[in-house]
Amino acid sequence: MDVLFGDDELEKAQRIGELSKLVKKYQDSYYNGEAEISDFEFDKLWDELKSLDPDNALFKKVGADGKGKFDGGFPKAKHRMMMGSQEKASNPEEFLKWVEGHKYDEYLVEFKLDGASLELQYDNGVLVRAVTRGDGEVGDEITENAKRMGGVPVALFDSDGSRVDFTGAVRGEVIMTHAVHDSMYADKANCRNAANGLMKRKGGEGCENLKLITYDALSSVGENPFSDEEGKISWLGKCGFNVVPLAIKKSAQEVIDYRSEIDSKRAELEYDIDGLVVKERRIDLADARRARPDRQIAFKFNLEEAVTVLRDVEWSESGSTYTPVGIFDEVQLNGTTVRRASLANPDTMRKLGVRIGSKVIVVKRGEIIPKIMGVVSDCEGETREIPVPKKCSSCGSDLVDDGSRLYCPNKACSKRILHQLQKWISVVDIRDFGDTLIRSLFADCKVRSVSDLYSLDLETLSPYFLDAASIEKKKDSLGAKKVLDSIQNHRKMSLAVFVAGFDIEGIGETVVQKLVDAGYNTLQKLFDASAEEFASVYGFAEVMAETMVLGLSENKEEMLRLVENGVVEISGASEGSLSGLSFCFTGELKSMKRADAEALVKERGGVCKSSVTKDLGYLVTNDTSSGSSKNQKAAKYGVRIINEEEFLKLVEQR
């Protein structure tokens, strides 16, 4: 049966069960020091589970159960303070929503350290026990290991040297500095993983390379030696602990601005942080005893966002279009090293106010390539204007800058013609026609238009596959024959494929299909339509509509030549058994290649999409329970998820 999400309670319950297992599995591996997925991937699973089942027991449970294979056989010990986990906000919108129910006169903001939590227990100012986070109530006792770490005093003394009579607990985060990681543990994925492994190593070897930074304390005998959160940090510092930096902000907007400022300086810090902790000034003991305190929140950085310095801009040439690409100091985004990102177009570049030397915000969301999304205002040093090309590098024509696009207007530009031929071969899916072959044929003036592709013969193609001796012996070229067969097998296609193959800027098969579905289902109807009519179709904007009209006009002569001479046959979408249906394929298929499955859909009048959208009909995957971004989007939009077997059955039945 089809896997349905939406209002179907049975399927919703199944998804909640799947997510619960995944979250618990990855949560346990994280707290046992061997994280299996990135924070970004974990947060996506967490957020989906929270949206489906906000009262799930996992949100009240903290950390691992202390029984993992990495616990090293340490004895268990009970915490003196609840080592809970905070609510989180991943962006300003989520933070402001939290603020609506938490109006404070001022907000105390601390770094959210990206390490491993540890509780130090003191009796009369003497360290008696060090306990890992575990499940929030019970953890592993690693006292001897902790004593070897930096920032773990075995006895407490005030700044004037007098003994501190404190019985209670101090909480902090065990971290490894970037310098230590780079010089001694570069084989580990990151500082946190390296620190987790060392702190629970039998014998404590390597713990001297770790450091504890504290941010919380609670007296278990008598009153606390501080009156509020600011006083707590001050007291910890006076007792000789390393303490987390603290800032005090008067408004939510100041907190948001501070987050941007710290995010831009993260690379300069000696250790990793993954956000800020925002709390009120007063100490709320009842709230602190909760598994997930309500009066404070972790305002996390976007793991797919980084701040860097723009060093140069290159102009990528694709067909007639020139696209600005920023070159900057390398940053890490979701586990990958990034040095380049798109600036989209001249208008976007100008609206951002970006210049060479600017500090820029680089974003990489999901499967989308990196983009420069903003400029940090407190840019230091000199900046200069980004030079914009004036002439086409191929034909020398003056480039047209219409804001949303910088392009060569010369229809006869050789670079533009070659790109159209490459696009046609790709969209129509003439697989045996390689890029090297089309470039060679183009350079030799054998192919200068789409029509020329269908005029090729064995005699013309053979020299590109055989050497002179083979040609003289009149040997047949199997490669040339294969290309010819592939061309002949792709004379019939849908209207959407036909138009998309002409390389009109921003107009792909899915875009054209929207027009076909809206009633512009013949080539003549497309020619006759105005930009205003196209703009009225859902999913079309004014600029795209105008681009479509211009592209159709420029290519009208060639399009009609192909159709009227019978070179290409446009099949009506209504003829196909999958007409009106759309599919997106993800993951590996067993019985066929993905390209073959997509071809099967197109042959039967269906539409293939590269991403999950609200109007998608089916997501086809053999891993229907995975936490992939496409599966999550399908769940969010109520798109049906089917496996390969169900897809083939659907094709057969229609």
Side-chain angles (χ1 to χ4, degrees):
M1 65 179 254
D2 290 354
V3 181
L4 301 175
F5 297 111
D7 296 329
D8 189 315
E9 292 304 316
L10 175 61
E11 298 301 340
K12 180 179 176 181
Q14 289 177 341
R15 182 58 178 162
I16 289 171
E18 293 162 358
L19 288 167
S20 297
K21 289 178 183 178
L22 289 171
V23 167
K24 185 179 186 308
K25 172 188 173 184
Y26 294 134
Q27 194 175 50
D28 288 351
S29 67
Y30 173 92
Y31 289 115
N32 281 314
E34 293 290 330
E36 297 179 50
I37 60 174
S38 69
D39 283 359
F40 174 71
E41 293 170 306
F42 179 82
D43 284 349
K44 287 197 295 185
L45 295 174
W46 180 277
D47 290 343
E48 185 187 350
L49 179 58
K50 194 169 184 179
S51 68
L52 294 174
D53 187 19
D55 297 321
N56 193 288
L58 278 174
F59 300 132
K60 301 178 178 64
K61 183 179 183 297
V62 181
D65 59 11
K67 299 176 183 177
K69 62 179 179 179
F70 304 104
D71 67 3
F74 290 99
K76 306 298 176 186
K78 189 174 179 61
H79 293 306
R80 290 183 177 179
M81 69 165 68
M82 183 69 185
M83 294 183 72
S85 182
Q86 296 144 326
E87 289 295 334
K88 66 177 179 65
S90 300
N91 53 58
E93 291 75 21
E94 291 178 4
F95 173 66
L96 289 173
K97 186 175 181 180
W98 177 81
V99 167
E100 288 176 6
H102 301 80
K103 304 283 187 181
Y104 303 151
D105 292 335
E106 56 187 2
Y107 296 88
L108 276 69
V109 188
E110 301 169 353
F111 287 180
K112 184 179 182 301
L113 305 165
D114 191 13
S117 291
L118 186 68
E119 180 190 75
L120 303 181
Q121 299 179 0
Y122 289 88
D123 284 347
N124 305 117
V126 177
L127 178 67
V128 294
R129 205 170 289 110
V131 187
T132 64
R133 185 181 197 173
D135 64 0
E137 295 182 0
V138 175
D140 295 325
E141 183 190 336
I142 61 166
T143 309
E144 294 308 310
N145 285 8
K147 288 179 179 179
R148 301 176 66 163
M149 300 174 188
V152 180
V154 295
L156 301 183
F157 294 90
D158 207 335
S159 53
D160 62 3
S162 59
R163 185 73 171 267
V164 176
D165 186 16
F166 171 76
T167 297
V170 171
R171 181 177 177 182
E173 203 86 353
V174 178
I175 60 98
M176 176 181 286
T177 64
H178 297 149
V180 169
H181 177 267
D182 295 344
S183 62
M184 303 177 66
Y185 302 97
D187 59 317
K188 299 297 182 183
N190 51 52
C191 294
R192 183 188 65 213
N193 281 9
N196 266 296
L198 289 182
M199 67 184 281
K200 298 178 75 173
R201 181 181 286 178
K202 275 294 186 181
E205 182 184 353
C207 284
E208 63 275 10
N209 297 316
L210 303 177
K211 181 178 182 179
L212 183 74
I213 299 177
T214 62
Y215 51 86
D216 202 2
L218 179 69
S219 176
S220 53
V221 175
E223 294 184 357
N224 285 321
F226 38 80
S227 59
D228 58 24
E229 291 289 348
E230 184 180 18
K232 181 192 295 181
I233 296 297
S234 176
W235 178 82
L236 286 167
K238 289 177 182 177
C239 290
F241 291 102
N242 299 314
V243 294
V244 67
L246 173 69
I248 300 175
K249 302 298 175 183
K250 295 297 184 182
S251 68
Q253 187 57 51
E254 284 189 17
V255 175
I256 292 170
D257 293 342
Y258 181 63
R259 173 179 176 265
S260 297
E261 176 189 340
I262 297 303
D263 194 10
S264 71
K265 298 175 180 176
R266 266 200 290 169
E268 302 166 17
L269 300 178
E270 68 167 347
Y271 49 79
D272 289 331
I273 65 174
D274 58 1
L276 304 173
V277 176
V278 184
K279 57 181 70 172
E280 61 184 325
R281 174 175 285 277
R282 76 182 181 94
I283 296 173
D284 189 327
L285 295 177
D287 189 58
R289 283 192 286 270
R290 295 191 180 104
R292 297 185 71 81
D294 172 67
R295 304 292 295 175
Q296 58 181 265
I297 193 168
F299 192 3
K300 300 190 75 173
F301 298 130
N302 189 327
L303 291 176
E304 294 182 297
E305 183 178 293
V307 176
T308 184
V309 178
L310 184 71
R311 299 299 181 186
D312 197 7
V313 169
E314 294 178 357
W315 291 84
S316 173
E317 301 176 28
S318 177
S320 63
T321 303
Y322 289 67
T323 303
V325 178
I327 313 298
F328 43 77
D329 296 339
E330 70 176 42
V331 291
Q332 293 293 316
L333 288 177
N334 199 22
T336 60
T337 300
V338 180
R339 301 179 184 87
R340 303 162 60 88
S342 173
L343 276 161
N345 56 53
D347 253 2
T348 298
M349 198 171 68
R350 286 187 277 263
K351 287 176 183 176
L352 289 174
V354 65
R355 295 166 61 87
I356 305 297
S358 295
K359 275 188 177 180
V360 294
I361 301 170
V362 184
V363 176
K364 182 182 180 185
R365 292 196 170 95
E367 299 171 24
I368 304 175
I369 61 172
K371 290 184 179 181
I372 294 175
M373 299 296 287
V375 176
V376 178
S377 57
D378 65 338
C379 181
E380 300 174 0
E382 293 185 6
T383 64
R384 56 187 174 86
E385 191 174 340
I386 296 170
V388 178
K390 302 296 183 185
K391 300 281 186 179
C392 175
S393 63
S394 180
C395 68
S397 299
D398 290 337
L399 297 179
V400 175
D401 183 352
D402 66 4
S404 63
R405 183 181 170 213
L406 179 68
Y407 65 97
C408 172
N410 180 13
K411 185 182 174 183
C413 177
S414 60
K415 181 182 62 178
R416 185 173 173 180
I417 296 171
L418 174 60
H419 193 270
Q420 185 181 72
L421 292 169
Q422 293 168 321
K423 185 67 176 284
W424 179 271
I425 290 168
S426 172
V427 172
V428 177
D429 198 24
I430 308 177
R431 286 182 227 169
D432 298 305
F433 210 129
D435 191 58
T436 301
L437 177 59
I438 187 58
R439 285 179 178 275
S440 298
L441 288 166
F442 183 79
D444 293 340
C445 296
K446 303 293 185 183
V447 174
R448 305 295 289 191
S449 69
V450 173
S451 295
D452 289 343
L453 290 171
Y454 294 90
S455 299
L456 290 171
D457 54 30
L458 204 57
E459 184 180 352
T460 304
L461 285 173
S462 291
Y464 296 92
F465 292 89
L466 302 176
D467 56 25
S470 297
I471 292 173
E472 190 174 340
K473 293 178 182 178
K474 296 185 178 180
K475 284 189 175 181
D476 290 334
S477 169
L478 295 178
K481 188 176 185 306
K482 196 173 182 181
V483 169
L484 283 176
D485 288 344
S486 190
I487 293 172
Q488 297 307 314
N489 290 334
H490 290 83
R491 287 180 176 272
K492 184 176 181 179
M493 63 198 69
S494 69
L495 179 58
V497 168
F498 179 79
V499 175
F502 275 87
D503 195 25
I504 302 171
E505 177 68 22
I507 306 296
E509 184 181 346
T510 303
V511 171
V512 182
Q513 189 61 44
K514 289 180 180 179
L515 296 179
V516 173
D517 294 340
Y520 301 97
N521 52 7
T522 69
L523 191 55
Q524 192 58 50
K525 287 180 180 179
L526 289 174
F527 287 147
D528 293 341
S530 65
E532 290 75 16
E533 289 173 315
F534 284 157
S536 67
V537 175
Y538 176 77
F540 261 74
E542 186 178 332
V543 173
M544 183 184 289
E546 291 175 352
T547 301
M548 182 68 171
V549 170
L550 177 61
L552 288 168
S553 175
E554 287 184 342
N555 293 284
K556 183 174 181 179
E557 185 180 338
E558 175 75 353
M559 288 178 170
L560 290 175
R561 182 184 302 119
L562 286 168
V563 175
E564 292 175 354
N565 293 338
V567 176
V568 167
E569 180 185 348
I570 297 176
S571 58
S574 59
E575 297 174 8
S577 59
L578 298 180
S579 174
L581 302 182
S582 57
F583 298 81
C584 176
F585 295 86
T586 184
E588 187 177 352
L589 299 178
K590 298 173 184 176
S591 64
M592 64 180 75
K593 293 180 180 179
R594 189 187 298 184
D596 292 326
E598 291 176 344
L600 193 62
V601 170
K602 293 173 186 177
E603 286 171 7
R604 287 161 172 74
V607 176
C608 290
K609 298 190 176 186
S610 59
S611 60
V612 177
T613 57
K614 291 181 180 179
D615 58 348
L616 178 68
Y618 297 87
L619 175 65
V620 183
T621 173
N622 281 324
D623 191 1
T624 57
S625 62
S626 84
S628 70
S629 60
K630 286 184 178 177
N631 280 37
Q632 289 185 54
K633 280 187 180 179
K636 178 181 177 182
Y637 296 145
V639 172
R640 285 193 282 181
I641 302 180
I642 61 175
N643 59 31
E644 183 178 351
E645 183 180 348
E646 291 166 322
F647 164 69
L648 293 174
K649 196 174 293 183
L650 178 64
V651 172
E652 290 172 5
Q653 290 173 349
R654 294 179 68 93

